[in-house]
Amino acid sequence: MTQRLILPVWSAALALLVLFPLLGRGFVLSYDMVFAPHHSLLPDSLGMGTTPPRSVPADAVVALLTTVLPGDLVQKLLLAAALTLGPLGAGRLVPTDSTATRLVAATTYGWTPYIAERLFMGHWPYLLAYACLPWIASAGLDLRTRNSLARLVLWAAPAALTPTGGLLAAGTALAASGWRKAHLVTPALLVLNLPWLVPSLLRSTSVLSAPQAVDLFAAKGENWAGAVVAVLSSGGFWNADVVPASRTLPLVPVLTLALVAAALLSFPVLIRKTPGLVPLGVVGLVFALLAHLPFGETALEWAVSTVPGTALLRDAQKWVAWWALPLAIGFALTVEAASRRGYHRLVPAVATALPLIAMPDLAWAGWGRLDTVQYPADWAEVREFLADDQRPGDVLALPLGAFRRFEWNDNRTQLDPAPRVLPRTTVVDDTVYVDGTPVPGEDTRLPAIREALRDNDLGRTGIGWVLVEHGTPGELPDTSHLTEVFRGPWLTLYRVPGDITAATTTAPTATIAGNLAALALLAGCLLWQRLPTGRLWFHRREE
């Protein structure tokens, strides 16, 4: 094996160590990660519905991909890319010629609590954004001395599939390229993020959050050392159910502090050779711990309930992705320095193995935490029925609630798949319960639909169909006034009698123009990369 292949092979091996049990046919359905055999392209997918554009344009991209590939294959390819590109990019970014040092950085960046917790929570777009950050940083650092803007935009595109990923990419790009290039980077990334930014601005009065969400979604401690040390290791996720058991061990904080101390020793080198990344990492730490700082929680509560768009800050721990990159590179450089100064030559090997030893329960799909399942045939039959029937109306999914625990998915908590499986706009109650405390949803149609459901008058809200999902907890309202049109072991579909008032769906010119502008930018960047004057996409920054 040549030296050049060692890092890519190792990065792919890390991904395979996690994903190998999931490579067979079937879907991984866990919390927010819901893929469908044929993902439906609907107004909400493009930011033209009544829900906040949290998955815009991710849902649209997945819908297009599933027109040519099976949905479960699309899911596996996205997960494999997310878990391979991150360590590969981090290893290539280290200012060194040592393959051993690159392997240390790759493992430290690619085997983290952030990856484990977001994977188990189903946040695949966050994982994809996290994987792109080293490549964005490399293109941004190149932009200081040469024209690498097209490469930067192309690597930022997968991250910008969701608002959070778009902001993570933008922060990394601006920090790496420096303020002198902000006049180039800012408009380019602004256009790239228009598919979710425009609908967010158009619905600015309805994208606020309940103030209690700040405390519920704040970074949490995972062991005796509390939230600060957990965040320093890129952990601290708010949902304790997805935290690997190894994170609760007493020795973990000691290893974390040792890792951080070692990385800090090389920060002067990073500041000189990769300017911008260390300050960005500090900003990520501040954002992640804002609710734990003096007056921080109060300020955040006011902001998320008053200032449109600041609800993105409530899941605070996600911003620690900015910290993970300088942490990994700094640690790798310190290990290299220790090896050169006469310490045992096995130091790089031990440092490479340390993340895997400290958190072994990310391997093998979280030691069986994740698995693949097939959708029952009911889902395909209901989808086909709704696609063929000409009666108007959207679908209301029951029981009310955003999450399900189906027996056919081993009672794992997962988002209701109906909005992505069915070929019509499907309304779910997006209220989220954290430790038993409700966080009100943000779909503007829900209050009227709840009232109409009590009054047996769903037609006036644009609901023409009701889908009852069986084998999952939740109370069901009276459906005796509805017309049953399909019944299976897992699903029952009802038609709402009477006239159906068409639901108002906005497709403003601004939203369409934003999508087209982003597509035009990507097309232009791809064309530039193909021109003789363009740069190779995978070109590594010169040291």
Side-chain angles (χ1 to χ4, degrees), residues 411-422:
N411 293 309
R412 294 181 180 88
T413 300
Q414 65 164 92
L415 271 180
D416 188 341
R420 291 169 173 83
V421 174
L422 303 185

Side-chain angles (χ1 to χ4, degrees), residues 74 186 250 304 359 409 426 444 473:
V74 170
T186 301
V304 301
M359 193 176 61
N409 191 21
T426 303
T444 55

Side-chain angles (χ1 to χ4, degrees), residues 42-44 49-50 386 391-397 422-428 443 445 449 458-459 461-467 493-496 500-505:
L42 299 167
D44 280 330
T50 58
L386 289 173
R391 181 176 171 82
D394 297 337
V395 181
L396 174 64
L422 303 185
R424 296 174 184 245
T425 296
T426 303
V427 181
V428 300
D443 191 327
R445 297 177 66 181
I449 288 175
L458 286 171
T461 64
I463 299 297
W465 309 86
V466 172
L467 180 72
L493 181 66
Y494 296 93
R495 180 184 292 119
V496 175
I500 307 298
T501 303
T504 56
T505 307

Side-chain angles (χ1 to χ4, degrees), residues 45-120:
S45 308
L46 298 169
M48 300 177 186
T50 58
T51 60
R54 298 187 183 279
S55 296
V56 173
D59 281 344
V61 170
V62 174
L64 294 175
L65 290 175
T66 57
T67 62
V68 294
L69 293 173
D72 56 342
L73 180 57
V74 170
Q75 181 184 36
K76 309 299 172 52
L77 290 174
L78 288 171
L79 290 177
L83 296 186
T84 302
L85 291 175
L88 178 59
R92 291 165 60 93
L93 188 61
V94 183
T96 183
D97 293 324
S98 168
T99 300
T101 303
R102 296 188 188 281
L103 293 178
V104 173
T107 310
T108 307
Y109 188 77
W111 198 276
T112 64
Y114 189 94
I115 286 179
E117 292 163 1
R118 296 293 170 174
L119 175 64
F120 299 155

Side-chain angles (χ1 to χ4, degrees), residues 113-369:
Y114 189 94
I115 286 179
E117 292 163 1
R118 296 293 170 174
L119 175 64
F120 299 155
M121 189 65 193
H123 288 170
W124 68 267
Y126 290 15
L127 295 178
L128 197 57
Y130 181 89
C132 291
L133 296 188
W135 302 92
I136 297 168
S138 176
L141 292 167
D142 276 351
L143 191 59
R144 292 173 179 257
T145 57
R146 69 194 73 173
N147 186 359
S148 61
L149 183 62
R151 180 159 55 95
L152 185 152
V153 171
L154 290 173
W155 276 113
L161 290 178
T162 59
T164 292
L167 294 177
L168 287 172
T172 304
L174 289 169
S177 59
W179 65 270
R180 293 181 182 275
K181 300 295 182 179
H183 67 288
L184 296 174
V185 174
T186 301
L189 292 185
L190 187 64
V191 172
L192 183 65
N193 285 278
L194 286 178
W196 65 263
L197 185 59
V198 170
S200 296
L201 294 174
L202 293 176
R203 301 182 66 252
S204 60
T205 57
S206 61
V207 288
L208 301 175
S209 181
Q212 67 265 31
V214 170
D215 177 63
L216 295 172
F217 291 106
K220 300 292 192 297
E222 298 170 341
N223 43 56
W224 59 267
V228 174
V229 175
V231 167
L232 283 172
S233 65
S234 83
F237 191 58
W238 55 267
N239 186 352
D241 290 339
V242 302
V243 174
S246 60
R247 297 289 301 163
T248 64
L249 298 176
L251 189 60
V252 167
V254 178
L255 294 175
T256 295
L257 294 176
L259 172 67
V260 173
L264 289 175
L265 293 176
S266 292
F267 273 14
V269 177
L270 282 185
I271 292 172
R272 186 174 68 255
K273 294 191 174 183
T274 57
L277 295 189
V278 171
L280 180 67
V282 174
V283 171
L285 286 178
V286 172
F287 279 11
L289 293 169
L290 196 56
H292 298 275
L293 299 177
F295 308 108
E297 184 174 359
T298 301
L300 277 177
E301 288 177 348
W302 173 83
V304 301
S305 59
T306 308
V307 182
T310 54
L312 282 170
L313 296 175
R314 72 182 191 181
D315 180 1
Q317 186 264 356
K318 62 191 175 188
W319 305 108
V320 82
W322 281 333
W323 165 251
L325 191 54
L327 178 67
I329 298 175
F331 177 67
L333 290 177
T334 297
V335 169
E336 180 182 61
S339 181
R340 287 178 175 175
R341 289 172 184 170
Y343 292 93
H344 201 287
R345 295 178 63 182
L346 289 178
V347 168
V350 173
T352 300
L354 185 60
L356 286 79
I357 296 172
M359 193 176 61
D361 42 353
L362 169 58
W364 218 250
W367 283 356
R369 181 191 291 257

